[in-house]
Amino acid sequence: MKIQDLLRKDVMLLNLQATEKTAVIEEMIQSLANNGYVTDFETFKEGILAREALTSTGLGDGIAMPHSKNSAVKEATVLFAKSNKGVDYESLDGQPTDLFFMIAAPEGANDTHLAALAELSQYLMKDGFADKLRQATSADEVITIFDQASEKAEEPAPATAVSENTDFIVAVTACTTGIAHTYMAQEALQKVAAEMGVAIKVETNGASGVGNQLTAEDIKKAKAVIIAADKAVEMNRFDGKPLINRPVADGIRKTEELINLALSGDAEVYHAANGANTTQASEEKTSLGGAFYKHLMSGVSQMLPFVIGGGIMIALAFLIDGALGVPNESLGNLGSYHEIASMFMKIGGAAFGLMLPVFAGYVAYSIAEKPGLVAGFVAGAIAKEGFAFGKIPYAAGGEATSALAGVSSGFLGALVGGFIAGALVLAVKKYVKVPRSLEGAKSILLLPLLGTILTGFVMLAVNIPMAAINTAMNDFLASLGGGSAVLLGLVLGGMMAVDMGGPVNKAAYVFGTGTLAATVSTGGSVAMAAVMAGGMVPPLAVFVATLLFKDKFTKEERNSGLTNIVMGLSFITEGAIPFGAADPARAIPSFVAGSALTGALVGLAGIKLMAPHGGIFVIALTSNALLYLLFVLIGAVVSGILYGYLRKPLDK
């Protein structure tokens, strides 16, 4: 498949009207929706914004490639758009963006479209190609430019003579989604290396798998290794080689710097025994706090789908039984009394039950790569079941000892277990020596086996204090009332608005979902209710501000304020990010004030929530829907008025 097969002339926008990032995204999505390629505007927009939250798809040099593999996409499509004014798209180089390629891929699609997207990335790196697109005045002319570039690409490239004296390096590129940045970095490295007279082979870790894979011979003869990646790649193969490890954006923007560093002899030598995550270029050292956050969020990002899917299914089971009616004498079976409710309960329980093993597993994976995965899963499972020394069910003389069943150490136990598993596997890597002929067996046999044994027995000890802490915390939360609940709601609600999707926001959200596991059977969690209510306030506050203080916002900002209604009601706090980023000194304190107030009111009223996500769509799963909505509205109005009042008037 060629890129021309995905470029649709009927959706192209050769004169974008929007001048702000979110508005540009909405204008492009609207074109896709109007022409039937996207079936649900908001669902696809949510996917695009979720990708932007990871890192901007503004690649620099005036080019942006927003993309999403999404259930709302009817067929794989690439929309080309051009702005004659340029847009502040938060690009990697900080410069205005005028060329846009919005990539829409169906959720269940095969990977044939990825090859076309890789081709697009490579075209955009070629000299003069983007300038031709900037001069295009019709959709047909755009297609012709790509056809001509395709014909040139098929011509055999002149062979580069590689003598024994030619420097040779290898590189690996990878981004979180494996679509755009991966191949842009590959093309940039190859292009700059050719200009510098350096031979290079670049492996891509894209969404369709590993491409142009490095062989053992390639690595052996390479002078150094460049890793330009935002996700884990296979590192053990580079043991003993000078290695530079940078974000994928540096592969695109700082290409010459990376190659010069690789050739200088100053790059640190990578030692696999110390773990893939510990080696960085000398000026790119990761702080202890940064490393902790990276590993934590690796586990959280993999856990959340299980929390959301399983949690809502369980909550729906209670809702179904409540709607169908349960006799007073059977209230203990609420959620499983009727057969249909029981089905929801079992399915949701299966998904929700995997939450802790998946979380701990991917924390360990982030630390120690694949060998850490199984040990991490085991640690999470032990934390979930509460197994500990003296609390191991077993049968003696034919009599089961179910009384020895342990107490779950919950999210905190899984968190500690994930880090323990990763650290122990790294220790095994470093200190367990085997003959070189058995190195392969070490990775697939010894590391998982020894890691699991060590992690399992350590967790049997760790679970004792962690279970006590978890139990005490849950008991404390269950007993909260009055002023204590107000304080809890105030803090959690305020945290949701501090960075609107960043580390502080995620910390509050993870805490809320952690309380849900222990409280969903008793009607839900006040903490979770405060978290979701606080997170709904900032986008709604943007709408209130743009409605009441119209003279202080541009037309594009007012239009964006309207879309923030949907974002806020859907519990997508990130909708307020453009406004918070544009005027943080005034916007963020205003948002925090309203979110904290809403969280405090929720705590004061003791409102509980059984679902971990969904906003207004799961409002029926709160213990008092009308009061809950009223508190969200109060917070939004307070924040909106504060923000609008503090914001400077527009320049005339």
Side-chain angles (χ1 to χ4, degrees):
M1 180 181 287
K2 294 183 177 181
I3 189 61
Q4 295 93 311
D5 298 327
L6 300 181
L7 280 168
R8 314 292 183 186
K9 292 192 287 186
D10 52 345
V11 298
M12 289 187 188
L13 300 170
L14 298 182
N15 186 16
L16 276 170
Q17 298 302 303
T19 58
E20 181 268 330
K21 180 176 181 177
T22 303
V24 165
I25 290 173
E26 291 170 349
E27 187 175 344
M28 290 189 285
I29 296 176
Q30 194 63 60
S31 179
L32 291 170
N34 290 344
N35 289 279
Y37 296 106
V38 166
T39 59
D40 188 309
F41 179 97
E42 291 299 334
T43 299
F44 186 66
K45 178 183 173 182
E46 184 177 343
I48 290 290
L49 293 179
R51 174 61 187 87
E52 292 296 326
L54 295 174
T55 183
S56 174
T57 58
L59 303 173
D61 295 328
I63 299 167
M65 294 177 67
H67 51 272
S68 176
K69 197 171 185 179
N70 195 290
S71 60
V73 179
K74 190 174 182 181
E75 60 178 296
T77 306
V78 176
L79 176 152
F80 170 69
K82 182 161 63 93
S83 170
N84 295 324
K85 303 175 183 177
V87 177
D88 180 3
Y89 199 81
E90 301 169 6
S91 203
L92 297 179
D93 60 0
Q95 299 302 309
T97 302
D98 58 351
L99 297 180
F100 301 87
F101 292 87
M102 179 167 279
I103 301 163
E107 194 167 49
N110 59 31
D111 291 331
T112 55
H113 66 286
L114 295 174
L117 301 181
E119 179 186 353
L120 170 61
S121 302
Q122 293 165 1
Y123 284 159
L124 293 173
M125 295 299 296
K126 297 185 183 299
D127 291 333
F129 183 82
D131 290 334
K132 291 180 181 178
L133 291 176
R134 290 185 175 96
Q135 296 167 9
T137 57
S138 69
D140 288 328
E141 191 174 348
V142 172
I143 298 297
T144 299
I145 292 170
F146 274 95
D147 286 338
Q148 293 172 346
S150 179
E151 291 171 3
K152 291 182 179 179
E154 292 172 0
E155 298 174 1
T160 302
V162 181
S163 68
E164 293 183 0
N165 296 324
T166 301
D167 289 319
F168 175 69
I169 57 177
V170 295
V172 180
T173 63
C175 67
T176 50
T177 57
I179 293 181
H181 294 67
T182 300
Y183 302 103
M184 294 285 279
Q186 176 199 24
E187 183 69 16
L189 286 164
Q190 291 173 337
K191 176 183 175 182
V192 174
E195 293 171 353
M196 297 172 65
V198 177
I200 190 171
K201 181 175 180 180
V202 184
E203 174 185 294
T204 56
N205 283 222
S208 58
V210 175
N212 201 31
Q213 189 166 21
L214 300 176
T215 66
E217 183 62 27
D218 293 329
I219 297 169
K220 181 180 179 181
K221 69 179 183 180
K223 186 172 183 178
V225 180
I226 296 173
I227 305 294
D230 289 338
K231 66 178 184 180
V233 298
E234 181 58 46
M235 299 287 286
N236 288 341
R237 52 189 168 155
F238 303 124
D239 185 33
K241 303 295 294 188
L243 184 144
I244 300 100
N245 194 344
R246 297 284 189 88
V248 69
D250 285 3
I252 301 171
R253 305 303 312 165
K254 300 179 181 179
T255 318
E256 186 173 350
E257 175 187 326
L258 296 186
I259 295 175
N260 282 329
L261 181 58
L263 299 176
S264 68
D266 295 332
E268 291 186 5
V269 175
Y270 176 76
H271 297 291
N274 293 329
N277 293 292
T278 59
T279 299
Q280 302 285 340
S282 56
E283 56 270 300
E284 295 290 325
K285 294 290 184 183
T286 302
S287 67
L288 183 61
F292 174 82
Y293 180 73
K294 173 188 173 184
H295 303 321
L296 172 65
M297 294 313 296
S298 177
V300 169
S301 64
Q302 301 293 340
M303 175 192 75
L304 287 182
F306 293 86
V307 177
I308 293 169
I312 291 179
M313 288 287 285
I314 293 173
L316 288 175
F318 288 101
L319 191 64
I320 291 169
D321 261 357
L324 296 178
V326 177
N328 289 337
E329 63 272 15
S330 299
L331 286 178
N333 294 321
L334 185 67
S336 299
Y337 183 79
H338 294 91
E339 184 178 9
I340 183 64
S342 184
M343 291 178 183
F344 273 81
M345 177 64 75
K346 297 300 182 187
I347 296 171
F352 206 76
L354 292 171
M355 174 183 76
L356 297 183
V358 167
F359 170 69
Y362 279 94
V363 168
Y365 175 80
S366 179
I367 296 170
E369 296 185 321
K370 287 182 181 178
L373 193 60
V374 62
F377 266 85
V378 169
I382 292 175
K384 173 179 176 290
E385 298 296 334
F387 296 144
F389 288 117
K391 294 290 185 179
I392 306 293
Y394 64 94
E399 184 176 341
T401 55
S402 58
L404 289 178
V407 178
S408 173
S409 58
F411 181 81
L412 293 178
L415 171 63
V416 173
F419 278 94
I420 287 174
L424 288 175
V425 171
L426 287 184
V428 172
K429 279 184 179 182
K430 180 176 181 179
Y431 295 112
V432 175
K433 305 296 184 182
V434 297
R436 185 168 294 276
S437 60
L438 296 179
E439 280 292 337
K442 179 180 178 180
S443 297
I444 64 174
L445 175 61
L446 290 180
L447 290 178
L449 176 60
L450 294 177
T452 300
I453 292 173
L454 292 172
T455 299
F457 278 94
V458 171
M459 279 301 295
L460 293 180
V462 168
N463 247 4
I464 297 173
M466 295 310 302
I469 294 171
N470 188 61
T471 301
M473 184 183 71
N474 287 332
D475 290 344
F476 170 72
L477 290 172
S479 66
L480 282 180
S484 297
V486 169
L487 179 60
L488 178 70
L490 184 144
V491 172
L492 291 177
M495 288 174 68
M496 292 299 292
V498 168
D499 50 6
M500 295 163 286
V504 177
N505 171 284
K506 288 294 185 290
Y509 181 72
V510 168
F511 179 83
T513 56
T515 65
L516 197 61
T519 58
V520 71
S521 61
T522 58
S525 163
V526 175
M528 189 68 243
V531 164
M532 191 164 82
M536 294 168 69
V537 166
L540 295 175
V542 167
F543 166 69
V544 172
T546 56
L547 181 67
L548 299 181
F549 299 87
K550 293 181 179 180
D551 58 327
K552 292 188 175 183
F553 296 90
T554 65
K555 181 179 179 181
E556 290 78 10
E557 287 174 329
R558 293 197 298 273
N559 291 337
S560 182
L562 291 172
T563 65
N564 267 274
I565 298 177
V566 177
M567 301 282 276
L569 293 176
S570 301
F571 183 37
I572 303 175
T573 317
E574 288 81 355
I577 287 177
F579 293 85
D583 192 10
R586 297 175 178 82
I588 292 178
S590 302
F591 296 157
V592 170
S595 292
L597 174 61
T598 292
L601 290 172
V602 168
L604 179 63
I607 298 176
K608 297 179 179 180
L609 174 65
M610 293 190 289
H613 210 289
I616 195 173
F617 301 105
V618 294
I619 195 66
L621 302 178
T622 61
S623 58
N624 192 326
L626 291 178
L627 203 55
Y628 192 76
L629 287 176
L630 175 62
F631 292 158
V632 171
L633 178 61
I634 290 173
V637 171
V638 169
S639 282
I641 292 175
L642 282 174
Y643 176 41
Y645 177 77
L646 294 174
R647 185 177 167 106
K648 287 183 177 181
L650 294 174
D651 294 331
K652 300 300 182 182

